[in-house]
Amino acid sequence: MTATAAPNAVEINLSAAIAAVADNDPLILTTPASDDAQRDELPFGPFNPLAHRTFETGLREWVAEQTPLRLGYVEQLYTFGDRGRHKTAEDRDLHIVSVGYLALTRITDDNRETLRKSGARWRSWYSFLPWEDWRGGKPAMIDDTIRPALCQWAEQGHSHARLSRFRLAFGDEGIVWDEERVLERYELLYEAGLVTEAVRDGRADPPALTGHLGLPMSFDHRRILATAISRLRAKLKYRPVVFELMPPTFTLTALQETVEAISGRHLHKQNFRRLVEGTELVEPTGAEQTQARGRPAALYRFRHNVLEERSVAGLRVGGRG
């Protein structure tokens, strides 16, 4: 498409935040940007209304064509169409509308190698949003970098509302940290001009806090990733989506570590086990897994019948105090 494109021309892209967990790390599948191999972007492809009956059909088809992955759970997130987050204001080319999806999968030795050959790569999602990982306590960057920068931004705008948004989003001054506010936190940093994308999109003057606030992504893909993490963290509490990321059999320790990886916070071992037992989401297989230290650990599996017994079936891990 040339610069003479009709001003109302629109292209629909399907963008996928494909998540997995490996070695206690929440991963997102990325591909190198076409103009910069060092910058990541989410897998995306165009929606073809002649070939695809639905958006989800289109998403599954081009993911199957481009990767060896078999997607399990797939959910539409949001439609991202803000002008200026895919192009500069002077650009008269097609306007891009991205329909974002959250998809869950499992990593196997076979698909790991095939993905590597295709150029796709798994990245920890905390490399893009490092302030979201509270498993080892409150990240130092919140007090050392983010808080001073956002307070300065609020003062420049003489805005109590800006300061209030920061406190709510980042759990400042006694307000409880809410792990589900991932998108709100990223949007606040973008609006304040503190992330690379804000400078690239012409919304802020350089320098942003590049190198300090996570790796940038192409287009509005870090915004889509933040939306996906928010949705998944919320979904954990009322739907058994975590088992889409687990092998057929697993230990309760492995299940806890996966929930911690996604939610970004440490969970008390005994409280977690009581929670799992109370929800009746899992059942013992009768088999055990040998461990390097200590006694063998009992193996469990997801109890699929729970979906027929009640509509709400998740792990309602508590909030931060």
Side-chain angles (χ1 to χ4, degrees):
M1 181 65 65
T2 67
T4 59
N8 60 348
V10 172
E11 177 180 300
I12 297 176
N13 276 341
L14 307 175
S15 300
I18 303 174
V21 175
D23 300 325
N24 304 333
D25 206 8
L27 305 175
I28 200 76
L29 186 68
T30 68
T31 57
S34 58
D35 60 340
D36 183 356
Q38 299 304 310
R39 188 176 70 249
D40 289 285
E41 58 192 30
L42 297 176
F44 69 96
F47 172 67
N48 183 344
L50 299 179
H52 304 144
R53 184 176 60 86
T54 67
F55 285 168
E56 184 175 326
T57 299
L59 179 83
R60 288 183 180 276
E61 285 188 4
W62 64 253
V63 168
E65 290 174 2
Q66 297 177 21
T67 76
L69 295 178
R70 293 184 58 188
L71 300 183
Y73 180 87
V74 172
E75 176 181 353
Q76 187 177 131
L77 293 169
Y78 192 72
T79 300
F80 303 84
D82 292 4
R83 191 169 185 85
R85 300 188 78 155
H86 239 285
K87 57 200 295 187
T88 62
E90 295 76 22
D91 194 344
R92 294 295 180 264
D93 227 339
L94 279 172
H95 181 59
I96 306 296
V97 172
S98 295
V99 181
Y101 278 84
L102 166 65
L104 306 180
T105 191
R106 298 175 183 135
I107 299 177
T108 66
D109 291 339
D110 290 340
N111 65 35
R112 190 195 300 268
E113 179 61 19
T114 306
L115 282 172
R116 187 190 64 79
K117 291 179 179 178
S118 73
R121 52 201 177 197
W122 291 105
R123 294 267 205 187
S124 170
W125 70 37
Y126 294 128
S127 63
F128 303 104
L129 305 166
W131 56 86
E132 293 294 335
D133 189 0
W134 284 59
R135 288 174 293 177
K138 185 178 183 180
M141 67 165 48
I142 293 179
D143 287 335
D144 295 346
T145 303
I146 293 175
R147 190 181 194 281
L150 286 178
C151 286
Q152 182 181 11
W153 173 67
E155 291 171 1
Q156 290 172 346
H158 304 286
S159 174
H160 177 74
R162 286 181 175 181
L163 199 56
S164 178
R165 287 173 60 201
F166 159 65
R167 290 169 179 159
L168 287 171
F170 283 90
D172 194 51
E173 296 186 6
I175 296 175
V176 174
W177 168 273
D178 184 348
E179 69 268 17
E180 294 178 31
R181 294 180 179 263
V182 188
L183 180 61
E184 293 177 46
R185 287 186 279 271
Y186 176 72
E187 291 285 36
L188 189 59
L189 295 171
Y190 180 94
E191 186 179 336
L194 302 179
V195 293
T196 303
E197 289 89 335
V199 176
R200 182 198 64 203
D201 296 345
R203 306 296 181 91
D205 296 325
L209 296 175
T210 54
H212 296 283
L213 298 186
L215 299 174
M217 300 185 84
S218 296
F219 313 126
D220 54 359
H221 287 191
R222 200 154 42 146
R223 184 187 184 201
I224 296 173
L225 173 59
T227 306
I229 298 173
S230 294
R231 182 71 60 85
L232 183 55
R233 286 180 170 180
K235 209 85 173 181
L236 279 180
K237 299 173 183 178
Y238 61 91
R239 297 297 295 169
V241 292
V242 66
F243 298 102
E244 296 283 349
L245 301 167
M246 302 298 298
T249 62
F250 47 83
T251 65
L252 291 186
T253 296
L255 179 61
Q256 177 177 340
E257 289 171 345
T258 299
V259 173
E260 289 177 332
I262 295 168
S263 63
R265 58 193 189 85
H266 175 70
L267 302 171
H268 186 275
K269 181 177 180 179
Q270 296 306 320
N271 289 347
F272 179 80
R273 296 201 171 203
R274 282 194 291 268
L275 173 66
V276 171
E277 291 171 359
T279 59
E280 299 181 333
L281 290 173
V282 302
E283 59 187 6
T285 65
E288 293 181 326
Q289 181 181 84
T290 302
Q291 302 187 104
R293 294 182 178 179
R295 295 180 300 174
L299 287 170
Y300 292 78
R301 58 176 166 249
F302 173 52
R303 195 170 68 84
H304 291 274
N305 288 345
V306 74
L307 298 175
E308 301 173 3
E309 297 168 1
R310 58 185 187 269
S311 58
V312 177
L315 294 169
R316 301 188 68 82
V317 291
R320 237 175 231 288

